[in-house]
Amino acid sequence: MRVLVTGGCGFIGSHVVEEFLDAGIEVRVLDALLPAVHPPGSPPPPVPHGVEMVVGDVRDAGVVRRALDGVNVVCHQAAMVGLGIDIGDMPDYAGINGVGTAVLLSGMASAGVGRLVLAGSMVVYGEGRYRCPEHGPVRAAARRRADLDAGRFEPPCPLCGRQLAWERVTEDDVPDPRNTYAVTKLAQEQLAGVWAASTGGSAVALRYHNVYGPRMPRDTPYSGVAALFRSALEAGRAPRVFEDGAQQRDFVHVRDVATANRTALTRGGADHCLRAYNVASGTPRSVGDMARALADAFGGPAPQVTGEYRVGDVRHVVASPERAAEELGFRAGTAFEDGVRSFATAPLRGAVA
């Protein structure tokens, strides 16, 4: 089996490449080495021995055509990630995530490559799943700036305004993307579904939850909250925790994510369709929990809860990992305490220039 890993020099992609090599899988990497992920002066991790490297943009049809030559499966990790800076990032998200995926799928159709493993994201769920004590399951109303400014962070019931209780999202929940990144990640899934239906191919979307671990980039708005906390600690600053720190997430170690990608190469999905899977630990933790655990493992300073917020952030997203366990045979194996302890001293990538 020869697998093309797009974005194979990135944080998650580099771990996926190593996982494939350890399993005896032949790997080719396509990566544009974009500065948002690989800042000038901070070279990407060296490509492991035996891996063919193609430097180029997934939006370039000619580059994609060359990268697909002789490939059996595509593992599509290349994407612009995170909330970014502001609305000015919108064209890049739409171009890299949307157009880039369309170019890749078109190339796969021409090359006769019939299997796709897509790096999806939990952001497609938006505010996740909630239950009102009076009205039962409801879709949370959008959080209002006035409430956030006043420190009222929990989303209200859209029918009665009462506080909701979060529940685990499943892959069958209706997507509800609430920021630019989320919209483009859902678009990737939808494009992959159209490709599968049109070509008879099979596509698996692995909806990553909050991934953390070695090689996260330092000090960049295009990374996850764990990297921001870890960067602050390395610089001697207290991690700044937004809102009240009680936001519930599922933090999953990058090595577990790599394992999920390996299992998805041959399991899950079906011809003519896309099948989505949560890739999560199954053990919810708050954002404040992550900040405190990292600070303790690193040796301080203690986190600072600021009450600040970011427009586009959601309050609670916690996943059910059961479909991935049943159909892919995947369960995360890294305990939160062990993963955070190792991540607290693991090297990060260089600062953005």
Side-chain angles (χ1 to χ4, degrees):
M1 179 188 298
R2 178 183 293 169
V3 180
L4 174 66
V5 180
T6 70
C9 291
F11 160 48
I12 296 175
S14 63
H15 287 277
V16 169
V17 167
E18 290 177 354
E19 179 77 16
F20 290 175
L21 291 176
D22 289 345
I25 297 168
E26 187 177 352
V27 178
R28 180 182 294 151
V29 167
L30 170 61
D31 202 302
L33 304 180
L34 296 175
V37 182
H38 309 284
S42 176
V47 176
H49 178 72
V51 172
E52 181 184 356
M53 176 70 183
V54 178
V55 177
D57 198 308
V58 73
R59 292 168 288 185
D60 186 323
V63 168
V64 168
R65 184 168 55 250
R66 293 194 299 273
L68 287 169
D69 183 43
V71 164
N72 308 108
V73 184
V74 171
C75 183
H76 185 29
Q77 304 292 320
M80 187 167 178
V81 301
L83 278 183
I85 298 173
D86 54 32
I87 203 71
D89 282 330
M90 187 177 284
D92 285 336
Y93 279 106
I96 295 171
N97 298 355
V99 174
T101 299
V103 171
L104 177 66
L105 293 169
S106 176
M108 290 174 63
S110 297
V113 180
R115 178 75 171 179
L116 173 70
V117 178
L118 172 67
S121 175
M122 59 88 172
V123 295
V124 302
Y125 296 120
E127 271 292 352
R129 174 185 283 193
Y130 289 87
R131 179 176 293 274
C132 173
E134 180 178 350
H135 296 100
V138 295
R139 178 172 292 187
R143 298 194 294 172
R144 300 180 303 174
R145 283 180 181 262
D147 288 335
L148 297 171
D149 289 338
R152 296 188 293 270
F153 301 119
E154 296 292 338
C157 174
L159 302 176
C160 66
R162 297 176 67 178
Q163 183 170 321
L164 302 173
W166 60 264
E167 297 183 332
R168 295 176 187 270
V169 294
T170 72
E171 295 85 351
D172 292 327
D173 284 321
V174 177
D176 185 23
R178 299 198 177 192
N179 56 58
T180 298
Y181 173 54
V183 168
T184 62
K185 293 304 289 184
L186 180 58
Q188 286 186 314
E189 290 192 16
Q190 293 170 328
L191 288 167
V194 171
W195 164 83
S198 299
T199 65
S202 63
V204 168
L206 300 178
R207 290 177 177 170
Y208 303 159
H209 284 252
N210 287 68
V211 186
Y212 72 98
R215 302 179 202 151
M216 293 190 87
R218 179 188 293 116
D219 292 329
T220 167
Y222 305 100
S223 187
V225 66
L228 298 178
F229 293 159
R230 175 69 174 73
S231 298
L233 290 165
E234 191 169 277
R237 304 189 307 269
R240 294 175 60 82
V241 180
F242 282 12
E243 301 186 20
D244 58 2
Q247 307 95 301
Q248 294 292 316
R249 296 290 189 270
D250 189 307
F251 293 97
V252 59
H253 196 270
V254 67
R255 293 306 307 176
D256 287 324
V257 172
T259 300
N261 275 273
R262 175 176 52 78
T263 63
L265 290 180
T266 56
R267 298 186 64 176
D271 292 346
H272 299 278
C273 71
L274 175 139
R275 184 77 164 161
Y277 298 90
N278 287 325
V279 175
S281 72
T283 305
R285 305 277 178 171
S286 73
V287 172
D289 287 341
M290 171 58 84
R292 287 186 292 271
L294 269 177
D296 289 346
F298 189 86
Q304 176 186 0
V305 179
T306 69
E308 298 173 83
Y309 63 87
R310 296 189 303 177
V311 174
D313 265 344
V314 296
R315 182 62 174 173
H316 305 299
V317 186
V318 175
S320 167
E322 294 309 312
R323 180 186 289 180
E326 293 169 2
E327 298 184 16
L328 300 181
F330 166 77
R331 283 197 184 273
T334 305
F336 179 77
E337 295 78 10
D338 295 337
V340 170
R341 190 180 305 114
S342 65
F343 176 52
T345 56
L348 299 176
R349 297 196 186 187
V352 174

